[in-house]
Amino acid sequence: ECKMEKIILSIMSLLSIVAMGSARADIFRCTTAQGKVVTSDRPIPECVSRGMKVYTDAGRFKKNIAAPLSAEEKQKIADEQVRKQREQLAEEERKREERYLLAHYQSEADVQAARKRAVDVLLDKKRLANEQLENFNQLFLDLQKELSQSKRTTQEFESIQRRANDLSSNVTNTRKAMAFYDQEIARMNREYDDTLKRFRETVGRSR
């Protein structure tokens, strides 16, 4: 029984020490808007918007309680997150593009060959349009000849006028098509210039 009492007393003493340790309160300290240093054993209402320092009851620094972020600070953090997200998306797009370039082109010669194929298609369309334009010009000459040899009746004049109007419309559309092909050829060359530049950069980074 004596031995058991000693054990019980020992346990109670230990529990008492633990209880005393857990009962120790943190010390909160801050400087108010008026410059006054305030210390308390609980969070200080006057400093909720300013932040506080927390110390142990032995005076050792424990942690900081940061002040709430202002609307401007919150916006700045949000803007920074958006910026980082955009940078991440741009980097992912760059890597996808690099994989595409390396999968489609083995050398600069491949890029130039692809350029030639694309431009040749447009040049062929422009050539056909130019041939069509020459045919329209010949038809105009034929109409002029027909007009000079006609009996100059109202019916003949109306027929020639209708065909002349149709030819004029066709010539206008064909010239627009040729101008469009010229623009597309220039655009295609710019795109392949850019592709060639990016291919060189990609190969340079992969070495």
Side-chain angles (χ1 to χ4, degrees):
E1 289 183 5
C2 183
K3 185 177 180 180
M4 180 61 69
E5 288 179 0
K6 288 182 180 179
I7 293 174
I8 293 173
L9 288 174
S10 177
I11 293 173
M12 291 180 64
S13 176
L14 180 61
L15 289 174
S16 176
I17 292 172
V18 172
M20 288 176 61
S22 62
R24 293 175 180 174
D26 288 336
I27 304 299
F28 296 83
R29 183 176 297 167
C30 75
T31 303
T32 66
Q34 292 74 33
K36 180 182 178 183
V37 177
V38 179
T39 301
S40 176
D41 61 353
R42 63 197 57 170
I44 304 165
E46 297 94 321
C47 295
V48 169
S49 62
R50 300 178 61 81
M52 289 170 269
K53 294 182 183 297
V54 183
Y55 298 85
T56 65
D57 63 346
R60 289 192 297 272
F61 175 76
K62 187 174 180 181
K63 64 179 180 179
N64 266 320
I65 299 178
L69 296 175
S70 66
E72 183 179 353
E73 289 171 330
K74 289 179 181 178
Q75 186 61 51
K76 187 175 180 181
I77 291 173
D79 291 344
E80 181 65 15
Q81 290 174 339
V82 170
R83 184 188 67 79
K84 289 182 177 179
Q85 185 178 25
R86 286 176 178 171
E87 287 181 352
Q88 182 179 356
L89 291 174
E91 179 64 16
E92 290 173 356
E93 177 62 27
R94 183 186 67 79
K95 290 179 178 178
R96 280 195 297 270
E97 186 178 42
E98 285 186 351
R99 289 194 294 270
Y100 173 87
L101 289 172
L102 294 175
H104 285 76
Y105 306 112
Q106 300 300 314
S107 66
E108 293 184 18
D110 288 345
V111 179
Q112 297 292 22
R115 179 208 298 266
K116 186 177 186 304
R117 288 193 297 270
V119 171
D120 281 351
V121 170
L122 293 169
L123 287 173
D124 193 50
K125 290 182 178 181
K126 182 182 176 182
R127 179 184 59 77
L128 292 174
N130 189 60
E131 290 177 359
Q132 191 175 39
L133 191 60
E134 291 177 356
N135 291 335
F136 290 150
N137 289 334
Q138 183 59 49
L139 289 173
F140 265 121
L141 293 175
D142 293 343
L143 276 179
Q144 289 176 345
K145 183 178 180 180
E146 183 180 341
L147 181 62
S148 66
Q149 296 175 352
S150 71
K151 296 179 180 180
R152 300 180 184 278
T153 64
T154 300
Q155 187 175 0
E156 286 179 325
F157 273 126
E158 288 178 351
S159 174
I160 293 172
Q161 183 65 53
R162 281 195 301 272
R163 283 179 286 164
N165 289 340
D166 289 342
L167 278 173
S168 179
S169 177
N170 288 333
V171 167
T172 299
N173 290 335
T174 302
R175 285 175 175 166
K176 287 180 179 178
M178 292 178 68
F180 171 76
Y181 295 141
D182 283 335
Q183 292 174 356
E184 283 298 288
I185 289 169
R187 182 185 64 81
M188 195 67 67
N189 277 317
R190 287 194 300 270
E191 285 188 2
Y192 274 96
D193 284 342
D194 184 57
T195 298
L196 185 59
K197 177 183 176 183
R198 287 184 283 112
F199 177 76
R200 287 169 177 166
E201 292 173 348
T202 298
V203 171
R205 279 192 291 266
S206 63
R207 286 175 179 173

